[in-house]
């Protein structure tokens, strides 16, 4: 029987399918238009188009935007928050900050649950975990009866100081389950057992409102795959760079809120390692947005706090990805001051760029690339035909004529603004963190990344651009490269000098026990279980903390302290070995190993790219240049050639501009070296 590994990544414009044949060690890909009203339709369309027999599939992995889109659109079921008396408005007061400090008229979006749906119950636990006032059961049952009468079946229970002792939250949940048996209930201590009630409450609320939507989608998809013959577990990629089974998604759906975004970063780390780059920046440019991540010293940067909307933090370890509104469908427009802008508004999949001829009449980056000859007249292997005359009309009408530019100048200006926006985003994630982009390679992928990669690299003086073998489905490939993963934590605050190694060891053992239980619940054997210990530390008096890995043995705290000093110096250019250190939190990362594809390098040949499919005029740096167009499948490993060149394939188009040199490496990546950049 053929053993296939299938990964599906749902994007804003296209849904990408990646199929790895374990017997042949080969990869094939396909793309289908996304179906925003029901992403599962696109997933199953992709399976059908790829002619996948689900009975032959050994592993099916999925990166989904269902949770992200739900938080953006706020298309939630009716939900309620039950909290301690006096804490009803915690998620509305927030931390008092604003996204734009200087815009007095711009308000932060309101909480996910309206005030009229937030209720108080008499109870109290102090900061040490001592129950001062048990749950008032009469109040609790009256509230449960009210919620039942209102038809509310999605509930978040968030009590103050429950991170120290969850007894009152657990009792409230029991009462709600007795009175409303079919309710979906999230408790803050289970979701995030950490102090700072605003962060904890908001994470639990996000988990609650997503539960019916995400669980419903995941369970429908799992059944559809099972009915088609798939016999394994459906694995869902989560924001931390691991995967979960549907059983854990039912408990922690909020972890899927950055599912698809993380996939591209994981692929970037894998490709950078294959190519021998310890430092790399990934540029994942799709139809709607661009996701940028950084691999430094071989590791992806991880953040402990992130958000889909400003002011609504989700406190789970997550791969740090910066997303901006720059994609193939980003709209070019002139603002009220008469300046050319690009995005963040997008034509998306519907109505799409003007050249799609599906109702869109505004110019996009895709239209500019078509006008300049960088894109041909079809996408996705002929699945989508492009009409250049519609792009010409849109750019002339909206940009060229109002600004007094020629058609070519207007199209080139559109791309220059888009590239500048992406370069600025790379600076945010690198220079502001103490990293020099010239020390990095740029990995350009996504449906549009290879079109813009070299121009963005030139803005940053990055010497090399790497385009993966299947850039348009690289994020989908990332779903094949992850393990099952859970992140557990427990508050353990105090001065390091006053905390014994034995107490911290006890906390680690308890968390590791829970971690093993979760992985066993997901069918992971003990031999495939890997546990990593981490400690969150800070200098005494600091507000924020840094997470460092720790080992075992009697001196593990000494090694952790040195690691903390080193990371603090890296992050903030400062260390103080004499300053007292506080421990803030103890964490365990639990990994269940999953078999991954074993890629085989190709034999390199000392040759050129072969005969072009065609030669067409392409606009570079103010002039039309006759440019060869190659089919990527026909270029062997080891081939070297000078720009300009256009390389077409099913899922993407790569632009190799003049004054660059390209080569195909043994992993079939295109490496483009820029003249005059840092070496």
């Amino acid at each position: 029987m053929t053993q296939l590994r299938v990964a599906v990544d749902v994007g804003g414009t296209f849904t990408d399918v990646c199929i790895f044949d374990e017997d042949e060690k080969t990869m094939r890909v396909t793309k289908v238009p996304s179906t925003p009203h029901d992403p599962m339709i696109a997933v199953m369309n992709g399976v059908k188009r790829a002619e996948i027999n689900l009975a032959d599939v050994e592993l099916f992995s999925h990166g989904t935007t269902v949770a992200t889109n739900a938080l953006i659109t706020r298309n939630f079921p009716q939900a309620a928050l039950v909290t301690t008396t006096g804490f009803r408005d915690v998620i509305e007061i927030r931390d008092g900050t604003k996204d734009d400090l200087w815009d007095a008229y711009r308000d932060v979006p309101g909480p996910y649950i309206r005030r009229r749906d937030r209720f108080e119950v008499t109870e109290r636990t102090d900061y040490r975990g001592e129950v001062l006032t048990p749950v008032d059961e009469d109040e609790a049952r009256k509230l449960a009866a009210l919620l039942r009468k209102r038809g509310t079946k999605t509930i978040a229970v968030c009590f103050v100081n429950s991170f120290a002792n969850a007894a009152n939250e657990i009792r409230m949940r029991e009462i709600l389950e007795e009175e409303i048996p079919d309710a979906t209930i999230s408790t803050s201590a289970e979701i995030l057992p950490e102090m700072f009630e605003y962060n904890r409450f908001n994470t639990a609320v996000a988990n609650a409102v997503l539960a019916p939507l995400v669980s419903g989608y995941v369970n429908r998809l799992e059944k559809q795959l099972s009915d088609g013959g798939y016999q394994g577990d459906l694995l869902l990629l989560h924001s931390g760079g691991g995967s979960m089974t549907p059983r854990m998604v039912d408990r922690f759906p909020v972890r899927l809120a950055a599912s698809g975004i993380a996939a591209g970063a994981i692929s970037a780390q894998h490709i950078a390692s294959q190519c021998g780059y310890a430092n790399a920046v990934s540029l994942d440019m799709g139809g709607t947005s661009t996701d940028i991540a950084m691999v430094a010293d071989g590791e992806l940067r991880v953040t402990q706090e992130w958000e889909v909307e400003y002011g609504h933090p989700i406190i789970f370890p997550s791969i740090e990805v910066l997303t901006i509104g720059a994609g193939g469908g980003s709209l070019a427009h002139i603002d009220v001051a008469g300046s050319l802008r690009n995005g963040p508004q997008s034509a998306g999949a519907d109505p799409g760029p003007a050249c799609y001829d599906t109702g869109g009449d505004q110019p996009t980056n895709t239209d500019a690339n078509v006008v300049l000859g960088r894109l041909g007249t079809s996408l996705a292997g002929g699945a989508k035909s492009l009409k250049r005359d519609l792009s010409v009309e849109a750019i002339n009408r909206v940009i060229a004529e109002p600004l007094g530019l020629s058609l070519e100048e207007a199209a080139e200006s559109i791309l220059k603004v888009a590239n500048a926006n992406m370069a600025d985003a790379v600076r945010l994630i690198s220079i502001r963190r103490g990293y020099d982009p010239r020390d990095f390679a740029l990995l350009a992928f996504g449906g549009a990344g290879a079109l813009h990669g070299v121009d963005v690299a030139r803005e940053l003086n990055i010497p090399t651009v790497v385009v993966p073998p299947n850039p348009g489905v690289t994020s989908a490939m990332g779903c094949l490269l992850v393990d099952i993963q859970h992140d557990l934590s427990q508050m353990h605050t105090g001065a390091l000098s006053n905390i014994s190694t034995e107490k911290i060891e006890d906390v680690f053992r308890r968390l590791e026990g829970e971690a093993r239980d979760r992985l066993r619940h997901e069918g992971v054997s003990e031999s495939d279980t890997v546990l990593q210990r981490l400690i969150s530390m800070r200098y005494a008096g600091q507000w924020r903390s840094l997470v460092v890995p720790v080992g075992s043995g009697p001196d593990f705290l000494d090694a952790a302290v040195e690691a903390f000093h080193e990371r603090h110096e890296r992050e903030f250019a400062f260390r103080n070995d004499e300053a007292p250190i506080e421990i803030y939190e103890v964490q365990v990362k639990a990994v269940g190993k999953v078999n991954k594809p074993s890629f085989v390098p190709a034999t390199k040949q000392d040759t050129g790219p072969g005969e072009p499919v065609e030669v067409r005029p392409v606009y570079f740096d103010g002039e039309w240049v006759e440019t060869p167009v190659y089919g990527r499948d026909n270029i062997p490993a080891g081939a070297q050639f000078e720009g300009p060149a256009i390389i077409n394939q099913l899922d993407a188009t790569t632009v190799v501009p003049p004054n660059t040199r390209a080569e195909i490496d043994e992993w079939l990546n295109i490496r483009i070296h820029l003249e005059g950049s840092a070496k």
Side-chain angles (χ1 to χ4, degrees), residues 190 215 218-219 222 231-236 244-253 484 486 517-524:
E190 179 187 24
S215 296
V218 168
N219 291 326
E222 185 179 43
Q231 299 178 7
D233 280 326
L234 170 64
L235 296 184
L236 286 303
M244 308 163 68
T245 64
R247 290 182 290 278
M248 278 297 156
V249 171
D250 287 342
R251 291 175 60 188
F252 304 105
I484 295 174
H486 297 287
D517 287 342
R518 287 193 189 183
L519 292 177
R520 275 195 295 269
H521 185 65
E522 295 191 288
V524 178

Side-chain angles (χ1 to χ4, degrees), residues 454 620 641-647 654-658 660-662 670 672:
V454 173
F620 291 110
F641 51 98
E642 304 287 330
I646 301 293
I647 303 173
T654 302
V655 174
V656 183
T660 62
R661 177 174 53 84
I670 305 173
I672 306 172

Side-chain angles (χ1 to χ4, degrees), residues 60 88 103 105 160 200 206 208 217 251 276 293 309 415 421 444 643:
F60 197 105
R88 180 184 184 187
D103 189 346
Y105 298 98
V160 69
R200 177 162 46 88
Y217 168 77
R251 291 175 60 188
E309 283 185 298
L415 298 185
N421 290 341

